[in-house]
Amino acid sequence: MSPVFQPDLLKDKVALITGGGTGICRGIALAFAAHGCDVAITSRKIEHLEPTRDELKARGVRAVAKVADVREPAAVNEAVAAVAAELGGIDILINGAAGNFICLAENLSSNGFGTVVDIDLKGTFNVSKAALPHLKVRGGSVINISATLPYLGTMGQSHAAAAKAGVDSLTRTLACEWGPLGIRVNGIAPGPIDGTEGVKRLTSGKSRASALTQCPLGRLGTVDDIANASLYLASEAASYVNGVTLVVDGGLWLRSARILGE
Ligand code: COA
């Protein structure tokens, strides 16, 4: 059997990656480009996009950057249509745009809760819906970036945990609705990924040390860990995988409950 990650694994494919200018999604974009995929990235801020777009082009693929807030369906529709026109379709969608902060529910406003739900959950819906007509044309793959937050009662994360639980539900529903159209819909739930905005925002020195102690593999994740999982799910190697959310956290969440006697 040939190795799975061939250099041309995603050759002739076009990927649209929301939040693709920075962090985990930048890593996915660069890995896809290294495997021959043309890539479009979106963000609310052009300054988050331009350096990554240039890095993508330097890998020899076509790359475009579009400013769009995933909360605004009209802006999303316009960006998706422009990407499909410029790159000749869309085969892969990564819903990576997300927002988060730590705040106990007691101190969180309705707008604060709703803002994160609007970005993470409604944003995933908005972009998926806009991309559907293009994904249908050749068949495709959607990957929703989720989180392990909803698996346990993660304090200070009522907003994000609820939003990501909704994302996982959307993954399962769309997998059933869009599977017959030749579109697989899966998710990835990353653990703490070193060097990302998420880890900067959500972990303190103490919680970082705790994650290192608790993780069965004894380390935080890397951007490449998530990029490799994305390559798998987006490629033909996962052609019978549909409706799952793949946890990529070294087994950390399994150890996150308190151990009796400790
Ligand atoms: N604690 C409590 N509430 C907060 C908050 C915090 N740290 N940050 C924002 N909010 C509340 C605001 O008070 C506001 O509610 P209010 O109107 O009742 O006061 C609401 O959330 C919206 O805030 P605003 O700053 O207007 O939203 P925004 O759309 O400009 O920004 C965020 C969205 C809040 C998610 C912002 O953190 C962001 O842009 N994040 C993007 C990057 C990111 O989070 N990456 C990490 C991914 S893991």
Side-chain angles (χ1 to χ4, degrees):
M1 191 173 158
S2 311
V4 173
F5 290 169
Q6 299 160 4
D8 60 353
L9 189 70
L10 299 179
K11 191 168 180 298
D12 299 327
K13 303 284 185 196
V14 175
L16 169 61
I17 305 178
T18 68
T22 57
I24 286 174
C25 291
R26 171 179 167 272
I28 296 170
L30 293 172
F32 279 16
H35 289 77
C37 192
D38 293 328
V39 182
I41 53 176
T42 73
S43 163
R44 278 185 292 166
K45 296 179 183 158
I46 190 69
E47 61 269 27
H48 284 175
L49 295 173
E50 285 172 339
T52 302
R53 182 201 54 202
D54 294 345
E55 282 182 276
L56 291 165
K57 283 186 175 169
R59 280 166 167 72
V61 300
R62 294 183 299 159
V64 299
K66 299 287 173 197
V67 172
D69 188 330
V70 295
R71 291 172 285 189
E72 293 171 12
V76 166
N77 287 339
E78 193 181 318
V80 167
V83 166
E86 287 173 42
L87 297 181
I90 299 173
D91 304 287
I92 300 164
L93 168 63
I94 309 288
N95 281 304
N100 201 2
F101 48 80
I102 295 177
C103 186
L104 293 173
E106 184 181 9
N107 304 321
L108 185 60
S109 69
S110 175
N111 191 39
F113 187 93
T115 295
V116 172
V117 170
D118 281 349
I119 299 171
D120 293 19
L121 178 52
K122 281 179 73 178
T124 296
F125 176 80
N126 291 339
V127 183
S128 299
K129 182 103 194 291
L132 177 61
H134 307 289
L135 293 166
K136 267 184 192 174
V137 174
R138 302 188 285 245
S141 171
V142 178
I143 300 175
N144 297 325
I145 304 300
S146 186
T148 59
L149 302 169
Y151 302 169
L152 298 168
T154 310
M155 293 167 68
Q157 290 287 274
S158 60
H159 43 315
K164 294 301 193 182
V167 167
D168 292 350
S169 175
L170 192 59
T171 295
R172 291 187 285 268
T173 302
L174 296 185
C176 293
E177 292 190 8
W178 295 358
L181 305 174
I183 302 165
R184 295 180 298 105
V185 183
N186 293 293
I188 293 176
I193 303 301
D194 218 0
T196 60
E197 177 76 11
V199 158
K200 274 181 220 146
R201 280 175 178 249
L202 305 177
T203 58
S204 61
K206 196 173 159 202
S207 58
R208 183 189 172 90
S210 164
L212 287 170
T213 310
Q214 292 292 320
C215 181
L217 298 186
R219 66 173 176 89
L220 300 190
T222 66
V223 168
D224 284 348
D225 289 325
I226 306 305
N228 285 330
S230 303
L231 280 168
Y232 165 64
L233 286 176
S235 77
E236 282 303 300
S239 63
Y240 201 52
V241 180
N242 190 28
V244 305
T245 294
L246 178 63
V247 179
V248 183
D249 78 337
L252 175 61
W253 86 268
L254 298 168
R255 292 280 317 273
S256 295
R258 288 184 72 89
I259 300 168
L260 289 178
E262 269 192 352

